[in-house]
Amino acid sequence: MFPTLGTVSPVGNEKITAERIRGLKGAGFAALTAYDYAMARLLDEAGVPLILVGDSLGMVVLGYPDTTLVTIEEMEHHVRAAARAKTQGLLVADLPACSYETPEQAVATAKRLRAAGAEAVKAEGGREILPQIQSIIAAGIPFLGHLGMLPQHVREEGGYRVKGKIPAEREGLLADAVALQDAGAFAVVLELVKPEVAVEITAAITIPTIGIGAGETCDGQILVTTDLLGTSPDYIPKHVPVRPELGRRMSEIVRDWKDAISCPN
Ligand code: KIV
């Protein structure tokens, strides 16, 4: 499906696996979120090689204040919808908050998401969840790491803030990235990591880094799709580069149509 829009894909026309994403070190690739069939199709037709059913769905689809309330049942429902698009791009799903407290629970949750149609899973954290990550990978499920600002911990943290500004955080992030690589993760998302530290991490590991609000020098970039399109209902983060005001245009279309309806008599 990729070439239909005339896009240049770094991955060709074959089904994209986690191993293909692992091989995109230095390639510069895009990843975006999808929460349903229609958006997964649209991203796939645009040639996006990694499509994430992110738990950001809590905020941008379900109306929760943050990602911490998203349940495994909600994730399964949205993964099933996105998986019906049978994307060429790799379909990754987030393990929701509190669903990977132990290695056994992590594997059980990852298996549920796989059964729903995800081809790989992502969880937030580094060395503190290493036994869980090792168990997921040992169960044969490809794993995407997520370091830096961890939205599932936003309540303890008291907000979204840039990570890696102090030496202890920088060292911790580097050690976590190496631990994820050594455990067998195929790539790692760096969220709100100080750009200089993201550069260091990218140079220190052989798997791709995928930045979000972490500067422009990671191996790939990921965004919440509704942020990119300008349709996120409540808030669009500062790091989002394009604001095409699609949300406003959608509302104009609805208003124009509504106003054009007149009584037939
Ligand atoms: O849930 C999400 O959307 C994410 C981001 C990194 C894109 O995890």
Side-chain angles (χ1 to χ4, degrees):
M1 252 195 264
F2 279 1
T4 55
L5 296 182
T7 50
V8 178
S9 161
V11 286
N13 294 322
E14 284 159 30
K15 172 68 194 157
I16 292 153
T17 61
E19 285 316 303
R20 299 282 301 281
I21 299 290
R22 188 196 295 276
L24 294 181
K25 183 80 186 167
F29 63 97
L32 281 165
T33 61
Y35 315 105
D36 58 26
Y37 170 77
M39 187 54 74
R41 285 249 343 231
L42 191 145
L43 299 185
D44 208 44
E45 285 168 15
V48 175
L50 191 159
I51 298 171
L52 172 70
V53 185
D55 59 358
S56 51
L57 88 88
M59 283 110 80
V60 301
V61 175
L62 301 177
Y64 294 146
D66 54 46
T67 62
T68 63
L69 300 174
V70 176
T71 65
I72 178 64
E73 289 78 15
E74 287 164 341
M75 285 303 302
E76 286 177 306
H77 177 76
H78 288 270
V79 169
R80 275 189 215 108
R84 283 182 203 112
K86 299 195 188 323
T87 55
Q88 182 191 345
L90 182 74
L91 193 71
V92 184
D94 267 334
L95 302 193
C98 307
S99 75
Y100 51 103
E101 311 269 279
T102 63
E104 295 72 27
Q105 190 196 19
V107 172
T109 307
K111 284 186 173 169
R112 282 178 71 168
L113 293 175
R114 279 277 275 199
E119 295 161 321
V121 298
K122 172 165 87 56
E124 297 180 5
R127 287 162 295 166
E128 74 281 15
I129 59 161
L130 205 52
Q132 286 91 319
I133 295 169
Q134 285 164 337
S135 303
I136 289 170
I137 293 170
I141 301 172
F143 183 81
L144 174 63
H146 185 150
L147 298 174
M149 173 60 213
L150 307 179
Q152 292 176 2
H153 294 272
V154 65
R155 295 187 183 201
E156 300 107 89
E157 298 257 333
Y160 298 90
R161 81 181 175 79
V162 174
K163 297 290 176 151
K165 283 179 165 173
I166 54 173
E169 264 180 14
R170 171 189 160 274
E171 281 150 32
L173 284 167
L174 276 159
D176 283 338
V178 171
L180 288 180
Q181 165 196 265
D182 292 349
F186 66 86
V188 57
V189 169
L190 300 180
E191 177 158 1
L192 292 185
V193 170
K194 189 179 167 191
E196 292 82 347
V197 177
V199 170
E200 276 191 80
I201 296 172
T202 302
I205 59 177
T206 56
I207 56 172
T209 56
I210 309 176
I212 175 163
E216 287 169 12
T217 49
C218 290
D219 300 300
Q221 292 288 331
I222 187 164
L223 284 178
V224 169
T225 300
T226 54
D227 288 346
L228 178 66
L229 298 179
T231 60
S232 289
D234 295 320
Y235 164 77
I236 297 187
K238 281 199 251 104
H239 61 254
V240 178
V242 193
R243 297 187 193 191
E245 305 295 343
L246 185 63
R248 197 184 318 145
R249 183 69 197 115
M250 284 164 68
S251 165
E252 274 167 18
I253 292 169
V254 170
R255 215 169 294 122
D256 289 352
W257 182 75
K258 177 202 72 171
D259 293 346
I261 295 174
S262 55
C263 179
N265 301 313

